[in-house]
Amino acid sequence: MERRIRVAAVCGTRPDAIKMAPVVLALRQHPAFEVRLIATGQHREMLDQVLRLFELTPDADLDIMTPHQTLTEITVRALEGLDRLLREQPVDVVLAQGDTTTTFVAALAAFYHKIPFGHVEAGLRTYNKFQPFPEEINRRLTAPLADFHFAPTERARQNLLQEHIPPERVWVTGNTGIDAVLWVARQPYEPNDPALRRALHHPGRLLLLTTHRRENWGEPMANIARAARQLLERFNDLLLLVPMHRNPRVRETLLAILGDHPRAVLTEPLDYAPFVHAMRHATLILTDSGGVQEEAPAFGKPILVLRETTERPEGVAAGAAILVGTDPERIVAEAVHLLTDPDAYAQMARAVNPYGDGHAAERIRDILLASFE
Ligand code: UD1
Ligand code: UDP
């Protein structure tokens, strides 16, 4: 190709930015590409703080977020905005990651314009329509719209092949989230976040909790919080750090159950660098996050996954994660086991990270380069 390959990289939420940043940076380092970064603004503060860290400024920002937004609102606003941008400034390929509504809509907008779509983190599945909701369906609907499927693992590739995605359109690249987390871990970091400083100066052990999934809203999340409280009561040396997702539904529940405990530190979402630092400092991580399930094993940190199913079974198979669901008794039992049995803990901490080697973005760049040349 004589002229440069025009790429629109789309992100909207915190994990979109984390997983797309390495791709944008890798493409921008190569003279063959001209990259436009498009933010839907599905998240505002949580997106902006990641983009700042990677020194990325969107070329266009649809700024769609509203408090308590519905799935339909995100879908409609993002689709209208992306449709207009792709009409005004056509590109050769659109890229987006994972399973957020921003991603599904980016694939749909690209399809309506007959522009090839590259799906970063393709092929994750639970095959349960409502778990996680709506992410399982977002990513499944993205697959037939995509032309490049960048699968993070061999298992993800197999899922796509089972769905009759042509094998020559699927590449196992590793997860770009591992590129991002290893990059952040290499940067010098001075903890100036007060919550994190308290966690790092705590003389005992640190328990890190994140929860935000829609299917956990309400009673399941209350059970998670109750389990965390029981653990604090059982182990006097534990400090619980809970960087709370900005969603008001999440905060209400966590604050009501944990807000008054003297060894529970409930904070705003941590910026990505402090959060990575917190993961490295934690003894044990409790999470329903997708990204955290991938990152924790990179630092040898055992995780209890607060979900009934996971599209990331590789971590469980590797011994780095245990799927515990949201039953408080089960959560407490598994956590107590790990916090009291050094051998069980050491075995989990030794597991090898199955999600990538930190070079996924370069592979994606090389695949695109070879395809458009
Ligand atoms: C979204 C993604 C989910 C992903 C998660 C990562 C969809 C449907 N869901 O879920 O897959 O795991 O992001 O965090 O794509 N809010 C703020 N500021 C922010 C971000 C959110 O105030 O920076 C509040 C707003 O009130 C917003 C609400 O959180 O309405 C929910 O945001 P939304 O993107 O709809 O859903 P998430 O639960 O964040
Ligand atoms: N993360 C962060 N600050 C926090 C909590 C999480 O920067 O306070 C990072 C985390 O390291 C991971 C990503 O956000 O890379 C995961 O995002 P989230 O859990 O919101 O979404 P999911 O991965 O479940 O879609």
Side-chain angles (χ1 to χ4, degrees), residues 77-357:
R77 289 198 205 113
L79 187 59
E80 281 175 352
L82 290 174
D83 176 63
R84 178 173 50 75
L85 292 175
L86 293 178
R87 191 166 355 101
E88 286 169 1
Q89 278 192 290
V91 292
D92 301 304
V93 59
V94 175
L95 302 177
Q97 81 77 36
D99 53 21
T100 65
T101 295
T102 286
T103 299
F104 160 57
V105 169
L108 188 61
F111 171 65
Y112 287 161
H113 286 267
K114 298 200 174 128
I115 299 172
F117 179 79
H119 191 196
V120 176
E121 195 186 274
L124 276 61
R125 298 289 184 269
T126 62
Y127 292 108
N128 179 326
K129 187 174 175 180
F130 292 103
Q131 291 196 13
F133 172 80
E135 291 83 1
E136 173 69 8
I137 291 302
N138 279 347
R139 59 194 172 217
R140 274 205 247 166
L141 293 178
T142 301
L145 301 170
D147 304 276
F148 298 89
H149 303 258
F150 302 118
T153 64
E154 177 55 30
R155 190 171 188 132
R157 188 178 88 96
Q158 290 302 330
N159 288 338
L160 292 164
L161 298 187
Q162 263 189 52
E163 292 170 23
H164 302 287
I165 302 293
E168 66 278 13
R169 306 310 305 170
V170 186
W171 294 265
V172 178
T173 59
N175 198 307
T176 58
I178 302 300
D179 301 16
V181 83
L182 296 181
W183 180 84
V184 171
R186 282 196 301 270
Q187 308 305 307
Y189 176 68
E190 209 35 66
N192 48 17
D193 183 286
L196 184 59
R197 269 219 305 273
R198 178 166 173 213
L200 297 186
H201 289 148
H202 177 70
R205 291 176 291 180
L206 178 66
L207 187 63
L208 178 63
L209 165 66
T210 81
T211 173
H212 71 84
R213 300 240 80 82
R214 267 162 216 265
E215 62 274 19
N216 281 345
W217 287 356
E219 203 42 29
M221 203 169 282
N223 279 335
I224 291 169
R226 287 182 196 115
R229 194 167 177 119
Q230 280 183 44
L231 290 169
L232 284 175
E233 271 146 25
R234 170 130 186 190
F235 298 99
N236 286 333
D237 72 317
L238 269 195
L239 183 89
L240 174 70
L241 177 63
V242 191
M244 286 182 296
H245 191 286
R246 280 204 172 254
N247 195 316
R249 295 288 306 265
V250 172
R251 303 183 151 225
E252 280 158 24
T253 308
L254 295 177
L255 283 166
I257 296 170
L258 291 164
D260 66 340
H261 196 286
R263 278 180 288 110
V265 182
L266 275 62
T267 73
E268 293 304 313
L270 289 173
D271 283 0
Y272 189 38
F275 185 77
V276 170
H277 219 70
M279 278 195 288
R280 295 174 82 178
H281 199 74
T283 300
L284 179 63
I285 301 176
L286 271 54
T287 193
D288 64 11
S289 161
V292 176
Q293 282 180 67
E294 293 153 353
E295 293 168 342
F299 303 123
K301 297 298 173 178
I303 2 166
L304 299 184
V305 181
L306 307 165
R307 296 166 55 167
E308 306 305 328
T309 55
T310 180
E311 62 291 274
R312 291 164 171 93
E314 295 90 341
V316 178
I322 302 175
L323 197 60
V324 294
T326 57
D327 169 15
E329 277 176 29
R330 173 93 203 275
I331 298 170
V332 170
E334 294 288 0
V336 168
H337 182 213
L338 288 169
L339 292 170
T340 54
D341 182 339
D343 290 340
Y345 184 91
Q347 204 174 343
M348 278 189 89
R350 263 198 306 270
V352 173
N353 182 346
Y355 296 109
D357 61 0

Side-chain angles (χ1 to χ4, degrees), residues 42-43 45-46 66 68-69 101 135 212-214 245:
Q42 175 180 336
H43 282 176
E45 303 86 348
M46 287 164 55
T66 55
H68 291 281
Q69 61 202 1
T101 295
E135 291 83 1
H212 71 84
R213 300 240 80 82
R214 267 162 216 265
H245 191 286

